[in-house]
Amino acid sequence: MKQSQTLIPTLREVPADADVKSHQLLLRAGFIRQNTSGIYSFLPLGRKVLQKVEAIVREEMDAAGGVEMLMPALQQAELWQESGRWASYGPELMRMTDRHNREFALGATHEEMVTSLIRDEIKSYKRLPLTVYQIQSKFRDEKRPRFGLLRGREFLMKDAYSFHSDQKSLDEAYDLMVTAYSNIFRRCGLNFRAVLADSGAIGGKDNHEFMVLSEIGEDTIAYSDSSDYAANLEMAAVTVEYEQRKHSGQKMARIETPDKKSIADVADFLQVDQQETVKSMLFIVDEKPVLVLVRGDHEVNDIKVKNVMNAKVVELATPEETVKWLGVNVGSIGPVQVPESIEVIADNAVKFLGDIVCGANEEGTHYKHVQLDRDFSVKKFDDLRFVIEGDPSPDGNGTIQFAKGIEVGHVFKLGTVYSEAMNATILDENGRAKPMIMGCYGIGVSRTVAAIAEQFNDDNGLVWPVNIAPYNLHIIAVNMKDETQVQVSEELYKLLTDYRYNVLLDDRTERVGVKFADSDLIGLPVRITVGKKASEGIVEVKIRKTGETYEVQKEELTDKLQDIFRQLSNI
Amino acid sequence: MKQSQTLIPTLREVPADADVKSHQLLLRAGFIRQNTSGIYSFLPLGRKVLQKVEAIVREEMDAAGGVEMLMPALQQAELWQESGRWASYGPELMRMTDRHNREFALGATHEEMVTSLIRDEIKSYKRLPLTVYQIQSKFRDEKRPRFGLLRGREFLMKDAYSFHSDQKSLDEAYDLMVTAYSNIFRRCGLNFRAVLADSGAIGGKDNHEFMVLSEIGEDTIAYSDSSDYAANLEMAAVTVEYEQRKHSGQKMARIETPDKKSIADVADFLQVDQQETVKSMLFIVDEKPVLVLVRGDHEVNDIKVKNVMNAKVVELATPEETVKWLGVNVGSIGPVQVPESIEVIADNAVKFLGDIVCGANEEGTHYKHVQLDRDFSVKKFDDLRFVIEGDPSPDGNGTIQFAKGIEVGHVFKLGTVYSEAMNATILDENGRAKPMIMGCYGIGVSRTVAAIAEQFNDDNGLVWPVNIAPYNLHIIAVNMKDETQVQVSEELYKLLTDYRYNVLLDDRTERVGVKFADSDLIGLPVRITVGKKASEGIVEVKIRKTGETYEVQKEELTDKLQDIFRQLSNI
């Protein structure tokens, strides 16, 4: 493609409202433009990158046995009413009415539509398993669209859905998808982790998010420094083997701790380590009060509390509820002499403490030298806290580190949630009707483009991985008034295109400084500069990623490029 | 692809609400399903066909110098308010509000959005010309969706827009597009015509619709039986050289013609040929009355009247207006002694008549032996009638025939309509601001799929052209319980896939009759049946289009297929 014939509107200035690198650079290098909040146009370079990612996704989905379909964006409200999500989805689901006043949703996701479709076509276990997918624009009215393509309101997504007659078949499809997703993000060049995630309200055991590691990520990942283990912070199990501390034998003593509200304040005031204190937090678990104890330097993980208590709803007690149940404000509550109506549970670490400092259930007062079982009792110990960096990895390999991640994919064993709600049944081997078992699998295609841009850039601009770059080569004719340079550029453009390279030729009559700056900004893997030495048959080849340059005879160019691309693809 | 792993839900019955062949067959063969009125899902085979057409469109658009982009479907109302179409587009434009109550249109077309985008990025004539395109779902809330994919509410469209600094550049891009469109529809195997079309309210001279000839078409095309000439009925010029008839010299005579309302009635009653009568019709042309005369066997073409009169609005007078201006009802009006306030114009044919029969402007009364210039006068003669079959083709080659057409593409010189309304200006060579000159070019991609299905079918099902077929080959294992047949089928499936054929393997345990019927319905170009003779290494090859069958040794299969596909591609 000749640059004079396409649209690559580069910007010198960093756009005011773009706070993250990928957003800034995709705008500055002319890949995208914002139409209105959270809604973007993909300009020619952006469209090409999107297509590169799409092609990889398609190949891997096909290899995993998926078949491509295309469902509509306009979805009649009735479908969403069947699943109950018309009411529960909230304002993120964009809605409209047609000329006959019939209500529609703009597809935010397609569980309802695909379940309705498959329910109508498949009636027997013999026709399963089936995995379908589509690549399509999705619509979600984000409250706070931001970070460019990372959190937009209209975005390109690959969504897949699998249907099964038994759990084993779902497990197999799920594993295939996990492999396909790993292939996809690896081929995109991304530094990512498959992260164990919370199943939320939908339930189901297996559920992984694919997270690209990035400082701007909105989620915290706990991962092992020596294995593949990774989980969302709230999902990571704690497997520390604590050492038992001895109690001094001293009697429990009451101390005034006026205005000391936090554990840190109290420990500081009493000159003890936070590890010798107990943090007590009152939760309302399915409407009953539960006092949860963790060691002072730990934090309660309410998702673990919910799982351990097998509860539906776990909420931190309000200040009013705390006063109601314990007769004191939050800063001074503790496990000693709590009313019998309050269940007390504790994180495993609490079991191993010696002399404990804790709240005395009296305003501005704590106890010290408290001893477990002597001064208070715990109904149940379990893993109730968040992991911290340095904890052992739950898989036994290495220790836990934290990182921030951008979610680019999600695989999920749905089970029968939708098939039951929407009555999508099949007849099994014995002629009995039962709900289909489902999985769903999403990739944010446009978000993946942004995640790649976020990981691959330097001070001068984007640095696309070979597999994703909109073109392989950027030929720069230094001086468009120099006939030799123009002729050599055109000649190489033709030659290299014939060699199946995708070539962008900068044939604009701009100053060479502008051309170089634009070229760095756009970030194609290799630049070929046709300058003064063109008259001697010599051009300069520069690798964008490393900055290495070579002077190459025209005749040796294709060999040299072959070497370079072989190297770049191996990195 | 193995049929057991994909979704091809064929139907034996013709769906009740599908009235045209393409709709029936695409449903029956399992290519599409309706979600709700005018809204369809493309099942795996339908998606593949769509992608075949998309790929052809993309190749030809790229070859014509277009660059691909992707603009959003959600378009802020402000853009449409700038062009004035927020008010004028009517209920076909689907509208919604976001969570902040801001209004949006769902993209029915993208003139406003692309004009806004290019206006912001391009400021100089040096950066033009530019042609951009996208392939994307569009939304139009049709009052009466019908014929399946032919008139839906959500459909796939390729829309392109070109921007120029002068008319010559637009003309060049337009010609490239006409060529690209012809290539596209030819590669789709379609019998089509590029048809001169009415520019409607937007104006602009050049404007062609690409029409696939089909009985179910909603438009009438006048085309030459011996050349490329084709025009929408209302656009076809009449170039007949009439023969002058002699007048008998008899005086004009008044005759009672009670209850004879139509020209046919009057001619019949008076025993004269309709060609000896004049049909008079009163129009209100920009609020002034104009009496338009055509020969009795002709019909007034009001678009020609409008163009000849250089008028903005031409409407047939109401019965009340007719009585007001001529004092008589419609059935008896004529050109003799009309008030001077009424202008009289006539089609060229009227000039060549001899004795004329016409209305007498008196209830139930006509004149005969009327003579032009002696008994009435005409201010202006011009081409004012519709062509009829048998008229000479305006390009001088052959005679006019009529056909019905399905519009699959439209190319249009927009000129400066949008750039003026939206203030999209560039600086020209002299540094003066002037509006960009634009063209727009659309192809209904999903509609094209339906048009192909409409042209390529027989009593047994679809008969896809090689370029468009979802797979090249259909391998049928006759008896899945026969190990040899299963083994040979699998072997051929692998072999032919390695040979780069796209193969569908029917590995279902269905009766062979069902498999053959489904295969014919789906309509892949070539079927390979693996039956009893598989044990001797012999399979049957059948060409779907011609029904020819061959018994072929396995070893000779790839050669035979090469021959067949060479032939099929030449047809």
Side-chain angles (χ1 to χ4, degrees):
Chain A
M1 173 60 68
K2 295 185 179 180
Q3 223 161 317
S4 62
Q5 288 171 19
T6 185
L7 178 67
I8 308 178
T10 53
L11 306 171
R12 287 289 153 266
E13 304 294 319
V14 177
D17 52 349
D19 346 300
V20 300
K21 270 281 173 196
S22 57
H23 190 194
Q24 293 169 357
L25 289 171
L26 290 171
L27 285 169
R28 285 188 54 208
F31 282 62
I32 60 169
R33 281 297 179 266
Q34 180 177 286
N35 293 101
T36 186
S37 170
I39 298 176
Y40 291 83
S41 285
F42 289 83
L43 304 190
L45 290 182
R47 184 71 185 107
K48 279 208 175 285
V49 170
L50 209 52
Q51 278 166 333
K52 292 285 172 105
V53 177
E54 279 177 55
I56 291 172
V57 168
R58 214 165 246 135
E59 278 176 34
E60 295 294 340
M61 293 311 293
D62 289 347
V67 286
E68 189 171 354
M69 293 181 30
L70 181 62
M71 289 179 278
L74 284 172
Q75 307 185 354
Q76 60 270 38
E78 289 79 359
L79 290 176
W80 291 74
Q81 284 154 355
E82 277 192 66
S83 75
R85 290 208 291 184
W86 185 256
S88 68
Y89 209 103
E92 221 176 83
L93 187 67
M94 301 183 107
R95 300 157 208 244
M96 50 165 297
T97 53
D98 72 2
R99 66 195 297 157
H100 306 297
N101 246 351
R102 289 191 51 203
E103 286 180 305
F104 284 84
L106 278 184
T109 174
H110 277 68
E111 281 85 5
E112 282 82 357
M113 181 158 270
V114 77
T115 304
S116 135
L117 193 73
I118 299 300
R119 159 184 79 184
D120 291 347
E121 304 301 338
I122 293 188
K123 308 289 184 190
S124 160
Y125 77 97
K126 289 184 196 164
R127 304 282 302 281
L128 297 180
L130 176 70
T131 301
V132 298
Y133 75 95
Q134 58 176 355
I135 298 176
Q136 189 201 39
S137 289
K138 294 283 192 282
F139 304 86
R140 290 183 196 166
D141 202 355
E142 291 282 348
K143 192 167 184 183
R144 214 159 70 89
R146 59 178 172 151
F147 295 169
L149 302 182
L150 286 173
R151 194 170 287 282
R153 300 200 287 170
E154 176 174 347
F155 53 95
L156 200 64
M157 186 168 163
K158 186 282 302 174
D159 46 330
Y161 307 91
S162 70
F163 296 85
H164 309 272
S165 58
D166 57 50
Q167 184 66 32
K168 184 164 158 286
S169 168
L170 170 62
D171 293 345
E172 286 164 7
Y174 186 87
D175 290 346
L176 281 173
M177 282 292 157
V178 169
T179 305
Y181 275 43
S182 300
N183 292 344
I184 289 165
F185 297 120
R186 202 187 53 246
R187 289 175 66 184
C188 289
L190 288 165
N191 181 13
F192 70 97
R193 295 269 173 155
V195 170
L196 194 64
D198 175 37
S199 300
I202 302 183
K205 196 176 140 221
D206 279 325
N207 171 16
H208 284 88
E209 288 169 1
F210 284 78
M211 292 280 195
V212 171
L213 304 189
S214 167
E215 282 174 17
I216 64 158
E218 300 179 72
D219 300 287
T220 300
I221 307 164
Y223 69 96
S224 163
D225 60 3
S226 345
S227 78
D228 269 352
Y229 178 84
N232 270 349
L233 184 57
E234 71 270 18
M235 290 297 293
V238 174
T239 57
V240 179
E241 297 189 9
Y242 303 98
E243 226 168 291
Q244 182 67 57
R245 299 192 187 189
K246 283 190 75 169
H247 194 269
S248 63
Q250 292 184 66
K251 272 197 170 172
M252 182 172 89
R254 190 174 159 285
I255 324 148
E256 306 267 331
T257 51
D259 301 325
K260 309 298 174 209
K261 295 266 160 73
S262 72
I263 288 285
D265 290 347
V266 173
D268 202 41
F269 179 70
L270 298 180
Q271 303 256 320
V272 299
D273 194 288
Q274 283 190 44
Q275 294 197 3
E276 296 169 45
T277 68
V278 155
K279 187 183 288 176
S280 309
M281 299 189 79
L282 187 67
F283 284 85
I284 308 298
V285 177
D286 289 347
E287 301 180 4
K288 287 182 190 151
V290 175
L291 192 69
V292 181
L293 314 180
V294 293
R295 209 170 69 187
D297 58 329
H298 291 155
E299 297 296 335
V300 177
N301 179 336
D302 52 351
I303 290 177
K304 289 182 178 176
V305 172
K306 189 175 156 205
N307 291 339
V308 164
M309 301 294 287
N310 205 5
K312 282 190 184 131
V313 183
V314 169
E315 282 180 326
L316 193 61
T318 61
E320 294 73 31
E321 283 168 334
T322 307
V323 170
K324 172 186 154 196
W325 288 105
L326 291 165
V328 67
N329 282 306
V330 176
S332 304
I333 66 177
V336 178
Q337 293 165 341
V338 295
E340 277 190 21
S341 53
I342 300 177
E343 193 170 336
V344 180
I345 62 176
D347 179 64
N348 293 321
V350 173
K351 193 188 254 174
F352 298 88
L353 297 180
D355 292 63
I356 295 171
V357 168
C358 61
N361 292 329
E362 189 184 335
E363 211 60 53
T365 311
H366 279 73
Y367 289 126
K368 58 182 184 178
H369 302 308
V370 177
Q371 187 175 8
L372 175 65
D373 292 336
R374 181 188 74 181
D375 304 319
F376 70 100
S377 55
V378 168
K379 186 170 172 194
K380 188 189 221 169
F381 289 95
D382 210 321
D383 170 15
L384 296 178
R385 70 164 171 95
F386 282 103
V387 283
I388 53 178
E389 286 192 296
D391 277 347
S393 174
D395 69 347
N397 298 310
T399 53
I400 288 294
Q401 302 292 319
F402 286 175
K404 293 284 184 183
I406 300 167
E407 184 191 341
V408 286
H410 198 169
V411 293
F412 205 111
K413 292 186 184 173
L414 286 174
T416 56
V417 183
Y418 290 93
S419 52
E420 281 183 22
M422 300 181 72
N423 203 23
T425 60
I426 42 162
L427 296 182
D428 69 8
E429 294 85 337
N430 305 312
R432 277 186 302 243
K434 62 179 196 180
M436 301 186 197
I437 298 174
M438 291 173 58
C440 72
Y441 318 92
I443 288 180
V445 178
S446 43
R447 184 185 282 184
T448 298
V449 166
I452 297 169
E454 194 67 35
Q455 280 197 349
F456 292 91
N457 63 69
D458 64 17
D459 288 347
N460 296 322
L462 294 158
V463 187
W464 293 105
V466 172
N467 283 346
I468 304 299
Y471 295 92
N472 310 121
L473 297 171
H474 205 173
I475 300 180
I476 311 278
V478 168
N479 182 354
M480 287 298 289
K481 285 174 188 152
D482 181 314
E483 268 182 41
T484 312
Q485 291 184 25
V486 171
Q487 191 199 313
V488 172
S489 308
E490 294 270 356
E491 184 193 320
L492 293 180
Y493 175 65
K494 256 184 102 168
L495 175 78
L496 296 170
T497 303
D498 288 346
Y499 268 78
R500 304 239 161 208
Y501 289 103
N502 292 314
V503 187
L504 183 65
L505 169 63
D506 191 346
D507 60 342
R508 298 173 302 160
T509 52
E510 294 279 359
R511 284 180 302 107
V512 66
V514 171
K515 289 188 171 196
F516 283 160
D518 280 353
S519 179
D520 281 347
L521 199 50
I522 292 168
L524 305 184
V526 173
R527 182 171 91 200
I528 298 170
T529 307
V530 180
K532 280 186 187 151
K533 289 195 180 172
S535 56
E536 304 162 40
I538 294 174
V539 298
E540 187 197 74
V541 173
K542 182 173 181 182
I543 301 178
R544 174 70 181 87
K545 185 188 170 87
T546 60
E548 293 163 80
T549 59
Y550 308 91
E551 290 207 336
V552 182
Q553 283 285 344
K554 266 187 342 188
E555 295 70 27
E556 292 159 10
L557 186 58
T558 54
D559 285 347
K560 184 69 190 170
L561 290 175
Q562 215 178 340
D563 282 353
I564 290 174
F565 277 98
R566 200 177 297 128
Q567 274 177 44
L568 286 175
S569 304
N570 286 340
I571 290 170
Chain B
M1 175 59 68
K2 296 185 180 180
Q3 223 160 316
S4 62
Q5 287 172 19
T6 183
L7 178 67
I8 309 178
T10 53
L11 307 171
R12 288 285 154 266
E13 305 294 319
V14 177
D17 53 348
D19 348 299
V20 300
K21 270 280 173 197
S22 56
H23 191 195
Q24 292 169 358
L25 289 172
L26 290 171
L27 286 169
R28 285 189 53 209
F31 283 63
I32 60 170
R33 281 297 179 265
Q34 181 176 288
N35 293 101
T36 185
S37 171
I39 298 176
Y40 292 83
S41 285
F42 288 82
L43 305 189
L45 291 182
R47 184 70 185 109
K48 280 212 174 281
V49 170
L50 210 52
Q51 278 166 331
K52 292 284 172 106
V53 176
E54 278 178 55
I56 291 172
V57 168
R58 214 164 245 135
E59 279 177 33
E60 295 294 339
M61 293 311 292
D62 290 347
V67 285
E68 190 172 353
M69 293 182 29
L70 181 62
M71 290 179 278
L74 284 173
Q75 306 185 355
Q76 61 270 39
E78 291 80 358
L79 291 175
W80 291 75
Q81 282 153 356
E82 277 192 66
S83 75
R85 290 208 291 184
W86 185 256
S88 68
Y89 208 103
E92 220 176 82
L93 186 67
M94 301 181 108
R95 301 157 207 244
M96 49 165 299
T97 54
D98 72 2
R99 68 195 295 156
H100 306 296
N101 246 351
R102 289 191 51 205
E103 286 180 305
F104 285 85
L106 279 184
T109 174
H110 278 68
E111 281 85 5
E112 282 81 358
M113 181 156 270
V114 77
T115 303
S116 135
L117 192 75
I118 300 300
R119 159 184 79 184
D120 291 348
E121 304 303 337
I122 294 189
K123 309 288 186 189
S124 159
Y125 76 98
K126 288 183 197 164
R127 303 282 302 281
L128 297 182
L130 176 70
T131 301
V132 298
Y133 76 95
Q134 59 178 354
I135 298 177
Q136 189 201 39
S137 289
K138 293 283 192 283
F139 304 85
R140 288 183 196 165
D141 203 355
E142 292 281 348
K143 193 167 183 184
R144 215 157 71 87
R146 58 179 174 152
F147 296 169
L149 303 181
L150 285 172
R151 191 169 289 281
R153 301 200 287 171
E154 176 173 348
F155 52 94
L156 200 65
M157 187 169 161
K158 186 282 301 176
D159 47 328
Y161 308 90
S162 71
F163 296 84
H164 310 271
S165 59
D166 57 49
Q167 184 65 33
K168 184 165 157 287
S169 169
L170 170 61
D171 293 345
E172 286 165 7
Y174 187 88
D175 291 345
L176 280 174
M177 280 294 158
V178 169
T179 305
Y181 274 43
S182 299
N183 291 345
I184 289 165
F185 298 120
R186 204 187 50 246
R187 288 175 67 184
C188 289
L190 287 166
N191 181 14
F192 71 96
R193 296 270 173 153
V195 170
L196 194 65
D198 177 36
S199 300
I202 302 181
K205 198 177 139 219
D206 280 326
N207 171 16
H208 286 87
E209 289 168 2
F210 285 77
M211 292 280 195
V212 171
L213 304 190
S214 166
E215 281 173 18
I216 64 157
E218 300 180 71
D219 300 286
T220 300
I221 306 163
Y223 69 96
S224 163
D225 59 5
S226 346
S227 79
D228 269 352
Y229 178 85
N232 271 349
L233 184 57
E234 72 271 16
M235 290 297 291
V238 174
T239 58
V240 180
E241 297 191 7
Y242 301 97
E243 224 169 289
Q244 182 66 57
R245 298 191 186 189
K246 282 192 74 169
H247 193 269
S248 64
Q250 293 183 66
K251 272 196 168 172
M252 183 171 87
R254 190 173 158 284
I255 323 149
E256 307 268 328
T257 50
D259 301 325
K260 308 300 172 207
K261 294 266 159 72
S262 72
I263 288 286
D265 290 346
V266 172
D268 203 39
F269 179 70
L270 299 179
Q271 303 258 318
V272 299
D273 193 289
Q274 285 190 40
Q275 294 198 3
E276 296 169 46
T277 69
V278 155
K279 186 185 290 176
S280 309
M281 299 189 78
L282 188 66
F283 284 85
I284 308 298
V285 177
D286 288 348
E287 300 181 5
K288 286 183 193 153
V290 174
L291 192 68
V292 181
L293 313 181
V294 294
R295 210 170 69 187
D297 58 327
H298 292 154
E299 297 294 338
V300 177
N301 179 337
D302 53 351
I303 289 178
K304 290 183 177 176
V305 171
K306 187 176 158 205
N307 291 339
V308 164
M309 300 295 287
N310 207 4
K312 280 188 183 131
V313 183
V314 169
E315 282 181 326
L316 192 61
T318 61
E320 294 73 31
E321 283 169 334
T322 306
V323 170
K324 173 187 152 194
W325 287 106
L326 290 166
V328 67
N329 282 306
V330 175
S332 303
I333 66 174
V336 179
Q337 291 164 344
V338 294
E340 277 191 17
S341 52
I342 300 177
E343 193 170 334
V344 181
I345 63 175
D347 178 64
N348 292 320
V350 173
K351 194 189 254 175
F352 296 89
L353 297 179
D355 293 62
I356 295 171
V357 169
C358 62
N361 292 329
E362 190 184 335
E363 211 59 56
T365 311
H366 278 73
Y367 289 126
K368 61 182 183 177
H369 302 306
V370 178
Q371 187 175 9
L372 173 66
D373 291 336
R374 182 190 73 181
D375 304 321
F376 70 99
S377 52
V378 167
K379 188 170 172 193
K380 188 189 222 172
F381 288 95
D382 212 321
D383 171 15
L384 298 179
R385 71 166 172 95
F386 282 104
V387 283
I388 52 177
E389 286 192 296
D391 276 347
S393 173
D395 70 347
N397 297 309
T399 53
I400 288 293
Q401 302 290 318
F402 285 175
K404 292 286 184 181
I406 301 167
E407 185 190 340
V408 286
H410 199 168
V411 293
F412 205 113
K413 292 186 183 172
L414 286 173
T416 57
V417 184
Y418 290 94
S419 52
E420 282 184 21
M422 299 182 70
N423 203 23
T425 59
I426 43 163
L427 296 181
D428 69 8
E429 295 85 335
N430 305 311
R432 277 186 302 240
K434 63 179 194 181
M436 301 186 196
I437 299 174
M438 291 172 58
C440 72
Y441 318 91
I443 288 180
V445 177
S446 43
R447 185 184 281 187
T448 297
V449 167
I452 297 169
E454 193 67 35
Q455 279 196 351
F456 293 90
N457 64 69
D458 63 17
D459 289 346
N460 297 320
L462 293 158
V463 187
W464 293 103
V466 172
N467 283 347
I468 304 298
Y471 295 91
N472 309 123
L473 297 173
H474 205 172
I475 300 180
I476 311 277
V478 168
N479 182 355
M480 287 298 288
K481 287 174 190 154
D482 180 314
E483 269 183 39
T484 313
Q485 292 184 25
V486 171
Q487 189 200 315
V488 172
S489 307
E490 295 271 357
E491 183 192 322
L492 293 180
Y493 176 65
K494 258 185 102 169
L495 174 79
L496 295 170
T497 303
D498 287 346
Y499 268 78
R500 304 241 161 205
Y501 289 103
N502 292 313
V503 186
L504 183 65
L505 169 62
D506 191 346
D507 60 343
R508 298 174 301 160
T509 52
E510 292 280 358
R511 285 181 300 109
V512 66
V514 170
K515 290 188 169 194
F516 283 160
D518 280 354
S519 180
D520 281 348
L521 198 51
I522 291 168
L524 304 183
V526 173
R527 182 172 90 200
I528 298 171
T529 308
V530 180
K532 280 186 189 152
K533 289 195 180 170
S535 55
E536 304 162 41
I538 294 173
V539 298
E540 187 198 74
V541 174
K542 183 175 180 182
I543 301 177
R544 174 70 182 86
K545 185 190 171 88
T546 61
E548 292 164 80
T549 60
Y550 308 92
E551 291 207 334
V552 182
Q553 283 284 342
K554 269 187 340 188
E555 295 70 28
E556 291 160 11
L557 187 59
T558 54
D559 286 348
K560 184 68 191 173
L561 289 175
Q562 214 179 341
D563 281 354
I564 290 175
F565 278 98
R566 200 178 297 129
Q567 273 177 43
L568 286 175
S569 305
N570 285 339
I571 289 170

